[in-house]
Amino acid sequence: EVSLEDKVVFLSKFGKKHRHFTFRQLLAGQSSKTEVIVTFLAVLELIRSGDILIRQDRIFDDIKISYRGQEAA
C-alpha cells in the first residue's frame, strides 16, 4: 500500500536531488497503477504548495518538472 504522504516525501527528496526531471523519469520503477496514480496526486499536491513547477511544450509531450522547494540541508 502506498500513501499520498509517503509519495509527497519521496517526490520532495527526488526533487532535491534531481531539481529538473520528467514525469516519465519519476515513474521509472513504479510497480502498479495505484502507485502511478498516487505519484500523480503527489505531483498535484506539490504544485499546489508551490514546491514544483510543471511544463509541457506540446500536447502528449512528456511533463517536465522543476523542483522549487527548499534546498536539502
Side-chain angles (χ1 to χ4, degrees):
E1 183 90 7
V2 177
S3 76
L4 181 56
E5 267 185 27
D6 289 344
K7 275 296 176 185
V8 168
V9 170
F10 168 79
L11 184 52
S12 294
K13 289 179 181 179
F14 189 90
K16 287 174 185 175
K17 182 177 178 183
H18 297 282
R19 305 305 288 176
H20 302 282
F21 50 95
T22 66
F23 190 65
R24 185 163 306 180
Q25 290 170 318
L26 187 60
L27 295 181
Q30 302 286 327
S31 60
S32 69
K33 286 182 183 181
T34 301
E35 195 170 359
V36 170
I37 291 166
V38 174
T39 299
F40 184 73
L41 293 173
V43 167
L44 294 178
E45 178 63 27
L46 289 174
I47 291 168
R48 186 189 65 75
S49 69
D51 288 324
I52 63 173
L53 293 175
I54 64 166
R55 189 177 92 236
Q56 186 178 31
D57 295 329
R58 290 184 301 266
I59 193 167
F60 302 119
D61 274 359
D62 206 359
I63 299 169
K64 297 174 183 170
I65 302 171
S66 298
Y67 184 77
R68 297 172 25 111
Q70 296 180 358
E71 294 290 330

